[in-house]
Amino acid sequence: MDKVTEWCIRNIWGRDNFGWRYIPSQGRSGGLILIWDDITLNVEDELIGEHSISIKFSNRFDNFNWVFTNGYSPNEVTGRLNFWKELDKVKAWWQGAWCIAADFNAIRDETERNKPGGNKRNRKMLNAFLNRNALLDLPLAGGNFTWSDMKEDPLLCRLDRFLISTEWETKYPRVTQMLRTRTISDHNPILLNANGISRGKCLNWPTLLNIMIEGKKVKENYVLKISVAE
């Protein structure tokens, strides 16, 4: 696989004010790219695994600390189990506000798949993870499914999602998760819109936190961008 370079990241981001981390893909899947606005977000710490990138941020404008995790769950059993162990390590590392965006390669129930079937063990692991960590699974506006096998009679599933802790929701109470139109990838982009930094924010500070799972690949890596817009 070609190496992802800073030049490549700058072209994705479109300007110079960014920080980034990435995990190379293994074959044609599993790569992760995380890019953020380093004018408004300061990196305090990080935890990088084989299948996930977790960054502890502090907002420069209000010093709010939170962790963002970008992850990918492999389809093979060993990799999948390691993925869940990595996320549990993140929870042990940080007990505060947490936002996760991942291709979990699992659905929560039959409504997240347009045809019968699916791996019940994967479903059980996803639901157990949400329950033991008290995470919120936000409704998905704009559609029901995030992935297609791209066939004439396609299999559609909701494999990708944002999960947030109650502390994160308290900070961003008007948060929404929205499906965007698929372009090249078999995954739809998803936008997490916090729609306001906090109830008590100063109006001079940025007013919109966006986190986008891009529906495209860059050198076989899925891209996730965190930006704050005025």
Side-chain angles (χ1 to χ4, degrees), residues 47-167:
L47 189 62
I48 310 295
E50 186 177 355
H51 308 294
S52 64
I53 302 170
S54 296
I55 306 291
K56 179 183 175 184
F57 291 113
S58 62
N59 295 345
R60 294 184 187 274
F61 46 87
D62 63 2
N63 296 317
F64 177 67
N65 292 320
W66 57 290
V67 163
F68 184 82
T69 297
N70 182 14
Y72 171 81
S73 176
N75 277 311
E76 52 90 15
V77 175
T78 301
R80 185 181 297 276
L81 292 175
N82 288 337
F83 168 75
W84 293 117
K85 289 178 182 178
E86 283 185 18
L87 294 190
D88 284 336
K89 286 181 180 178
V90 176
K91 181 62 176 179
W93 172 64
W94 172 253
Q95 289 79 49
W98 190 18
C99 178
I100 306 169
D103 175 357
F104 290 96
N105 267 317
I107 60 173
R108 295 198 64 194
D109 57 47
E110 292 293 340
T111 65
E112 296 187 346
R113 182 183 168 105
N114 72 329
K115 297 180 180 181
N119 189 311
K120 292 184 179 180
R121 185 184 183 192
N122 294 346
R123 187 183 314 174
K124 184 177 180 180
M125 287 191 289
L126 174 57
N127 285 318
F129 173 74
L130 267 75
N131 291 334
R132 69 175 173 267
N133 292 295
L135 295 170
L136 304 176
D137 183 15
L138 298 168
L140 181 63
N144 297 319
F145 310 111
T146 66
W147 174 84
S148 168
D149 65 3
M150 308 295 282
K151 295 181 179 179
E152 185 175 349
D153 179 23
L155 170 63
L156 305 173
C157 300
R158 184 184 176 190
L159 303 181
D160 314 88
R161 66 186 75 229
F162 285 94
L163 303 174
I164 61 173
S165 67
T166 54
E167 296 91 347

Side-chain angles (χ1 to χ4, degrees), residues 16 21-22 41 44 53 66 73 126 145 151 162 174 193 195 224:
D16 290 332
R21 299 288 186 276
Y22 97 106
L41 296 172
E44 300 289 343
I53 302 170
W66 57 290
S73 176
L126 174 57
F145 310 111
K151 295 181 179 179
F162 285 94
R174 292 178 290 173
N193 183 345
N195 194 23
L224 201 146

Side-chain angles (χ1 to χ4, degrees), residues 1 4 9 12 20-26 28-35 47-54 68-74 83 86-87 101-104 160 213 216-225:
M1 186 206 76
V4 174
I9 299 299
I12 298 170
W20 64 291
R21 299 288 186 276
Y22 97 106
I23 297 174
S25 64
Q26 300 175 15
R28 297 187 60 82
S29 63
L32 299 169
I33 297 175
L34 175 60
I35 316 171
L47 189 62
I48 310 295
E50 186 177 355
H51 308 294
S52 64
I53 302 170
S54 296
F68 184 82
T69 297
N70 182 14
Y72 171 81
S73 176
F83 168 75
E86 283 185 18
L87 294 190
D103 175 357
F104 290 96
D160 314 88
I213 302 177
K216 64 181 179 182
K217 289 185 177 181
V218 176
K219 300 181 185 294
E220 304 304 331
N221 296 274
Y222 283 102
V223 180
L224 201 146
K225 300 191 293 187

